[in-house]
Amino acid sequence: MSAATGKKAVLQLDGKEIELPIYSGTLGPDVIDVKDVLASGHFTFDPGFMATAACESKITFIDGDKGVLLHRGYPIDQLATQADYLETCYLLLNGELPNAEQKAEFDAKVRNHTMVHDQVSRFFNGFRRDAHPMAIMVGVVGALSAFYHNGLDIEDVNHREITAIRLIAKIPTLAAWSYKYTVGQPFIYPRNDLGYAENFLHMMFATPADRDYKVNPVLARAMDRIFTLHADHEQNASTSTVRLAGSTGANPYACISAGISALWGPAHGGANEAVLKMLDEIGSVENVAEFMEKVKRKEVKLMGFGHRVYKNFDPRAKVMKETCDEVLAALGINDPQLQLAMELERIALNDPYFVERKLYPNVDFYSGIILKAIGIPTGMFTVIFALARTVGWISHWLEMHSGPYKIGRPRQLYTGSTQRDIKR
């Protein structure tokens, strides 16, 4: 961050002028430093923090108007098609893509930490079998701090780094177990001879009775891309939650658990699950045309199209569409709901109403279809999102702790009662 040459903002306040520095990043709009407003006895008001930069970061950049998503400068479509998820993890954590030796070492570290302490498995028995998998994840991820308390010195760079590896490695195991528990199947332990995504799918769908179970490589590649495309997304609600929790000095497992809780909200991580619910409500292909007319009349919401951040197109969607086509072709699925989804896509890409408003299918639309085709229940969709986003959360947590930081303390515009006395 550097001062923007020759630029400053001047605020007229109660007859006085307050000069506010303007800073420039390497990309994106300049930012106005408003901290001096506090000395004048005023706060700024920005509900939802839509115009507030709460931190300085070098990890991810988004230009929603142009449909740009960069991780450490690399476009997301290049990472999804030319790198795998663990390479993207290394990039987010370290700032550069790994060479062959670094990749082999990093992959080995992750593989060697996929197992969880045996007593962690007993935590699952405290949940009802019909518990939502996200409820389980919030609990068991937070509980990891009880098993790795000898590595929780957040001032120790080695502790921070090994915790990042542990989280990336163990979250897939816990995620798969949260599914197995809800369907009453035995836990499948991780296999270190399998790739990251392949290992996750094996833990999800293998059973002790089927020792020859093999993961379809097309599905493993699709899952790896889903992980990559969801790895980080700048200062969203869950990432900001992790940073805010981390600013108190809370242990990293508690911070990631907080991020999972924030992601659980339907306005954040539940979007692809909402797509499947919408398809259920539409019912059949014959009802799609009328449903889209209702969308035009603003009688119903079209889920999985358009994006709050991307005003042009979601740069992740093209790769996700290609992957979706590969999965459906490989599985040869003749699912009426998937046919319905494809008809929605066809109309949205050709109808002037949707084209003019840039209501293109986004990453949630295609990822929901892929996950359903693979056989993953909708209740697990957000868990998989959390699995993929863990590296983004821990990368931001590491970045924050690598330099000076302040405890987060948003202010408010108070509109309640003025002071009053109790009278009896």
Side-chain angles (χ1 to χ4, degrees):
M1 180 175 68
S2 61
T5 305
K7 289 185 179 181
K8 64 180 179 180
V10 178
L11 177 65
Q12 297 280 352
L13 192 62
D14 296 332
K16 298 180 180 179
E17 286 190 353
I18 302 176
E19 289 192 0
L20 305 176
I22 296 178
Y23 300 112
S24 296
T26 53
L27 290 170
D30 292 343
V31 298
I32 301 171
D33 186 344
V34 297
K35 66 177 180 293
D36 289 343
V37 174
L38 179 62
S40 70
H42 294 77
F43 301 146
T44 57
F45 186 60
D46 181 22
F49 308 109
M50 300 302 294
T52 298
C55 66
E56 180 181 344
S57 181
K58 298 178 179 178
I59 298 172
T60 297
F61 173 76
I62 296 172
D63 186 329
D65 292 333
K66 296 180 180 178
V68 171
L69 171 59
L70 306 177
H71 291 332
R72 302 286 192 177
Y74 291 101
I76 187 60
D77 58 326
Q78 293 182 23
L79 292 172
T81 56
Q82 300 179 45
D84 63 28
Y85 177 67
L86 286 183
E87 286 179 295
T88 302
C89 289
Y90 186 97
L91 172 69
L92 291 172
L93 292 170
N94 298 291
E96 299 291 342
L97 284 167
N99 58 34
E101 182 180 350
Q102 292 167 330
K103 174 174 169 52
E105 181 182 356
F106 184 75
D107 288 4
K109 283 182 180 179
V110 172
R111 283 197 305 271
N112 291 335
H113 285 279
T114 54
M115 188 66 74
V116 297
H117 194 288
D118 184 62
Q119 284 183 260
V120 172
S121 66
R122 303 178 191 177
F123 274 76
F124 288 80
N125 293 327
F127 293 94
R128 286 172 42 146
R129 289 285 179 176
D130 61 353
H132 196 290
M134 282 293 281
I136 297 174
M137 290 296 289
V138 169
V140 294
V141 171
L144 289 178
S145 61
F147 294 89
Y148 303 104
H149 47 76
N150 61 342
L152 293 180
D153 182 359
I154 62 175
E155 302 300 323
D156 188 320
V157 64
N158 293 319
H159 284 202
R160 297 199 301 265
E161 289 177 357
I162 193 61
T163 297
I165 296 294
R166 283 173 174 161
L167 280 161
I168 293 167
K170 297 180 192 302
I171 291 288
T173 304
L174 297 176
W177 286 7
S178 72
Y179 166 70
K180 287 294 194 183
Y181 184 76
T182 60
V183 295
Q185 292 183 6
F187 294 155
I188 299 298
Y189 288 95
R191 277 180 48 180
N192 291 346
D193 61 320
L194 301 179
Y196 190 86
E198 184 182 13
N199 182 44
F200 171 68
L201 290 174
H202 186 269
M203 290 189 290
M204 280 284 293
F205 297 119
T207 64
D210 185 4
R211 297 184 180 181
D212 296 326
Y213 180 85
K214 287 185 172 56
V215 176
N216 186 324
V218 174
L219 304 189
R221 183 168 61 250
M223 186 58 65
D224 190 88
R225 284 184 176 176
I226 286 176
F227 292 162
T228 299
L229 293 170
H230 290 85
D232 191 48
H233 211 238
E234 208 222 73
Q235 308 305 321
N236 52 76
S238 58
T239 300
S240 297
T241 297
V242 171
R243 278 186 175 265
L244 188 60
S247 75
T248 70
N251 75 75
Y253 301 103
C255 295
I256 299 304
S257 180
I260 294 171
S261 298
L263 187 71
W264 195 357
H268 189 7
N272 50 13
E273 187 173 347
V275 170
L276 272 293
K277 290 180 179 178
M278 176 187 71
L279 298 180
D280 282 335
E281 292 171 1
I282 296 173
S284 67
V285 173
E286 291 74 21
N287 298 329
V288 171
E290 176 56 27
F291 177 83
M292 296 300 256
E293 290 302 316
K294 289 182 179 179
V295 171
K296 295 178 183 179
R297 298 194 296 268
K298 303 188 185 312
E299 296 176 7
V300 295
K301 293 187 68 174
L302 182 62
M303 308 303 298
F305 291 77
H307 196 279
R308 182 183 181 186
V309 173
Y310 300 112
K311 306 308 179 186
N312 192 341
F313 65 93
D314 185 338
R316 302 165 296 176
K318 181 180 178 182
V319 176
M320 202 82 277
K321 173 177 169 49
E322 293 171 356
T323 305
C324 182
D325 293 340
E326 290 173 7
V327 168
L328 297 182
L331 296 179
I333 292 177
N334 186 20
D335 185 330
Q337 193 175 57
L338 295 179
Q339 294 176 9
L340 190 160
M342 294 301 98
E343 179 61 12
L344 275 177
E345 177 198 43
R346 186 192 67 77
I347 293 176
L349 294 178
N350 291 281
D351 189 311
Y353 177 91
F354 299 100
V355 173
E356 291 169 4
R357 289 164 176 77
K358 300 178 180 178
L359 291 176
Y360 304 115
N362 60 35
V363 69
D364 298 309
F365 178 77
Y366 293 116
S367 64
I369 296 171
I370 293 171
L371 294 175
K372 176 179 171 58
I374 291 175
I376 294 172
T378 55
M380 280 292 295
F381 285 9
T382 315
V383 173
I384 290 173
F385 194 158
L387 188 169
R389 185 56 57 85
T390 294
V391 67
W393 291 332
I394 200 63
S395 295
H396 284 273
W397 183 88
L398 287 169
E399 182 179 63
M400 183 180 71
H401 282 283
S402 66
Y405 64 92
K406 294 182 178 180
I407 184 172
R409 191 19 175 122
R411 309 310 292 252
Q412 66 176 11
L413 174 63
Y414 179 70
T415 56
S417 300
T418 56
Q419 181 173 329
R420 50 184 173 169
D421 299 320
I422 298 175
K423 296 180 180 180
R424 295 185 175 175

